[in-house]
Amino acid sequence: MKILFIASRFPYPPIQGDRVRAYHFLRLLSRQHSVTLVAPVPGPIDSRVQQIVTQLCERWVPVRVSRWQAIAHLICFPFSDLPLQTLYFCPSIIQKCVQNLVQEEPFDLIHVQLARMAPVAYGLSGVPKVIDFIDALSLNMHRRATRERWPMKWIFHLETRRMARYEQELVSSFDQQIISSPLDKEAIGASETLHVIPNGVNTEDFPYTENRREDNIILFTGRMGYFPNAEAAVYFATRVFPLILQQKPDARFLIVGADPPRRVRRLARLPGIQVTGYVPRVQDYLARATVAVAPMRAGTGIQNKVLEAMASGVPVVATRYALGGIEAVDGEHLLVADDADSLADQVVRLLRDPALRRRLARNARRLVEEKYTWERSVEMLEEVYRLAIDRKGGENQ
C-alpha cells in the first residue's frame, strides 16, 4: 500500500504524545507499506536525525515552516471559522506541498494526524482519507479553560466551540477516523466511522524490572512544556507532596521531562524535589522509581507516561483524568485518587508496602502486553485503512 502520512510535527525525537504516536506508527507501517512522510520542520535537521527518519519511511518531505510564518497565518482568524491551532499549525505551504505530491503520483491512502492538520486534505476527494484525532481537542480545550484566568479563559472557551464544530465536520469529510480512547470518542460523538486505536508501548524499550529500585522515589514524567503536565507537576509538588513528607520525611519527588516552564523549575527550591528537564532516557528513571504518579487535572487522550510506567514495573497512582480510557482496574493494575489527600495516602501506602507494589506492577505489565503494544495498535490501524479504501471504492462505483 502506498501511504501519504502527514504528521502534525516532526516525529523525532519522540518526546511528545503526537510525535510518539507518529513515530511508532511509521516504524511499523514501513515494514509492510511504502510510506511517504510530510512533516513541518522549524529549521535544519542534523544528519543523524535525518538517518533515523529515513528508516521510518521510504521517503520524507520536510516542509520548512518558520514560527513567523505560522504566526502570520493567524491573521486569518477574524475571517475564518477554523480553530486557532489549525490556523497556526497548518499554513498554506503545507497544503500546497501535499497537493503537489498527490498530483505527481498516485497514493492508495492519505493519513492525516490531528484536526489541526486537516486542511491538507481539502480538495483531495479521489483518495481515501483517514484522520487521527488522537484525542478530542475540543474536550482538551474545555478542560484547560477551567484552569485558566481571563483573558486566556475566554480564548480557550472560544477554541473549544470552534474545535467541537470542526471535529464534527471532519467526521463527515474523512472516510474513516481514529482516536486514542473511548472517552475521547464519546466527547466527539458516536459514529460508525470513528474507531478507538489506543496508544501503546514498545515493551523492548521499556523492560520490566523489580530489582534495584530505590525505596523513596516518586516519579512524574512527561514533556513539561505541555500545560496539563506543568499544571499537574505544580499541583502535586505544592498540594500533595507536603502531605507525603509528613508521613515519609525521606521521600523524593522527581519531575522528569523536557521544556519545564519557570513555574516548574522553581519547584526544585522545595525540599525533596528535583526537576531534571530533558533526559535522553526516561527509562533510567523508571528503573529506579518506587512509585509513578500521574496527577492530571486537565488534558485528554491516553497518557503515555502511565503506560510506560506500567510496562516498566513501576506501580502507578493516577487521577481519573490520567487514565483516559486505559482499561486498568483500581486496586488491580494501579491505584486511583482524585484529590490531594487521597493522592498522598495512596502514594504513602505504596511506599510502605512492597508486596502491594509488586502485585500491581506485575498485573500492570500483563495488561500492557495484552492490550497496549504498538504492534497491536498498528494492526488495528491497517484494518481502518482497509475500511477507508473499501468505502471510497464503493462511492466510486
Side-chain angles (χ1 to χ4, degrees):
M1 189 185 303
K2 291 191 65 173
I3 301 167
L4 180 58
F5 192 110
I6 297 98
S8 56
R9 279 185 277 219
F10 191 68
Y12 192 87
I15 58 172
Q16 294 160 283
D18 58 311
R19 296 168 85 181
V20 170
R21 191 165 163 102
Y23 175 86
H24 288 290
F25 279 0
L26 289 164
R27 177 177 65 86
L28 294 170
L29 285 170
S30 63
R31 296 178 181 179
Q32 302 291 333
H33 308 284
S34 170
V35 182
T36 295
L37 168 66
V38 175
V41 295
I45 304 296
D46 68 52
S47 57
R48 182 184 66 87
V49 172
Q50 288 188 35
Q51 185 176 6
I52 291 171
V53 175
T54 56
Q55 297 170 2
L56 298 177
C57 53
E58 184 173 287
R59 176 174 60 151
W60 71 285
V61 182
V63 182
R64 185 73 59 83
V65 179
S66 72
R67 186 176 182 184
W68 293 113
Q69 282 177 298
I71 292 173
H73 203 225
L74 292 178
I75 295 173
C76 301
F77 173 66
F79 315 102
S80 172
D81 292 331
L82 290 174
L84 276 168
Q85 58 195 290
T86 303
L87 292 171
Y88 181 81
F89 282 98
C90 193
S92 57
I93 186 173
I94 303 177
Q95 295 175 249
K96 291 176 182 176
C97 173
V98 171
Q99 289 169 353
N100 289 338
L101 285 170
V102 173
Q103 289 173 0
E104 291 169 4
E105 62 180 289
F107 289 94
D108 298 311
L109 181 130
I110 298 173
H111 177 124
V112 177
Q113 189 185 55
L114 286 176
R116 64 176 58 149
M117 301 301 293
V120 300
Y122 288 177
L124 305 179
S125 57
V127 188
K129 301 189 293 284
V130 172
I131 186 165
D132 183 2
F133 287 117
I134 302 183
D135 55 5
L137 291 177
S138 55
L139 179 60
N140 189 305
M141 296 298 101
H142 171 71
R143 288 178 174 175
R144 180 161 180 179
T146 65
R147 299 289 173 191
E148 291 283 1
R149 297 180 179 180
W150 187 267
M152 294 304 295
K153 180 183 288 289
W154 175 81
I155 292 174
F156 280 102
H157 276 306
L158 175 62
E159 186 73 347
T160 297
R161 293 193 296 271
R162 285 197 176 194
M163 184 56 75
R165 182 172 60 247
Y166 194 47
E167 286 167 340
Q168 293 301 313
E169 292 177 8
L170 297 178
V171 168
S172 300
S173 60
F174 279 76
D175 297 290
Q176 302 289 326
Q177 313 86 43
I178 63 174
I179 200 159
S180 67
S181 89
L183 296 178
D184 291 83
K185 177 179 178 178
E186 182 180 344
I188 290 180
S191 169
E192 64 179 12
T193 60
L194 179 57
H195 311 269
V196 175
I197 299 181
N199 286 351
V201 178
N202 185 345
T203 52
E204 293 181 0
D205 283 349
F206 290 87
Y208 180 89
T209 180
E210 293 178 0
N211 301 323
R212 299 185 303 277
R213 292 193 176 278
E214 300 184 36
D215 60 5
N216 65 340
I217 293 182
I218 304 160
L219 179 67
F220 178 54
T221 63
R223 179 178 161 272
M224 294 302 147
Y226 179 49
F227 171 85
N229 285 337
E231 197 268 347
V234 172
Y235 169 69
F236 191 90
T238 59
R239 298 281 301 281
V240 182
F241 191 58
L243 301 177
I244 294 171
L245 288 176
Q246 292 175 12
Q247 303 179 67
K248 289 283 292 181
D250 66 336
R252 296 172 58 200
F253 179 40
L254 273 59
I255 302 169
V256 176
D259 306 322
R262 181 181 301 177
R263 61 181 179 141
V264 173
R265 295 196 302 270
R266 285 195 298 236
L267 297 174
R269 303 173 185 173
L270 300 177
I273 296 178
Q274 179 184 354
V275 180
T276 68
Y278 171 77
V279 298
R281 282 179 47 84
V282 71
Q283 294 93 327
D284 296 337
Y285 291 84
L286 288 165
R288 297 169 47 203
T290 321
V291 179
V293 294
M296 315 302 292
R297 302 195 298 166
T300 47
I302 281 187
Q303 298 293 321
N304 291 327
K305 62 175 66 64
V306 174
L307 292 177
E308 290 167 357
M310 291 170 66
S312 302
V314 191
V316 175
V317 177
T319 62
R320 297 187 191 280
Y321 273 175
L323 291 184
I326 296 174
E327 295 179 33
V329 178
D330 183 17
E332 181 178 348
H333 305 104
L334 44 65
L335 299 179
V336 177
D338 285 317
D339 59 69
D341 288 337
S342 298
L343 284 164
D345 289 345
Q346 297 288 42
V347 170
V348 170
R349 179 184 173 194
L350 284 174
L351 291 175
R352 289 175 171 170
D353 192 341
L356 177 60
R357 295 202 300 267
R358 285 193 297 272
R359 180 172 66 82
L360 292 177
R362 291 171 183 177
N363 291 342
R365 172 70 182 203
R366 281 195 293 270
L367 181 67
V368 168
E369 290 174 343
E370 291 170 3
K371 295 190 175 183
Y372 298 104
T373 65
W374 286 115
E375 286 78 6
R376 182 174 183 270
S377 297
V378 169
E379 286 178 4
M380 299 167 71
L381 177 62
E382 289 175 317
E383 178 58 30
V384 172
Y385 285 174
R386 285 189 283 270
L387 291 172
I389 291 171
D390 290 346
R391 184 180 187 190
K392 181 63 68 176
E395 291 177 356
N396 294 334
Q397 287 179 358

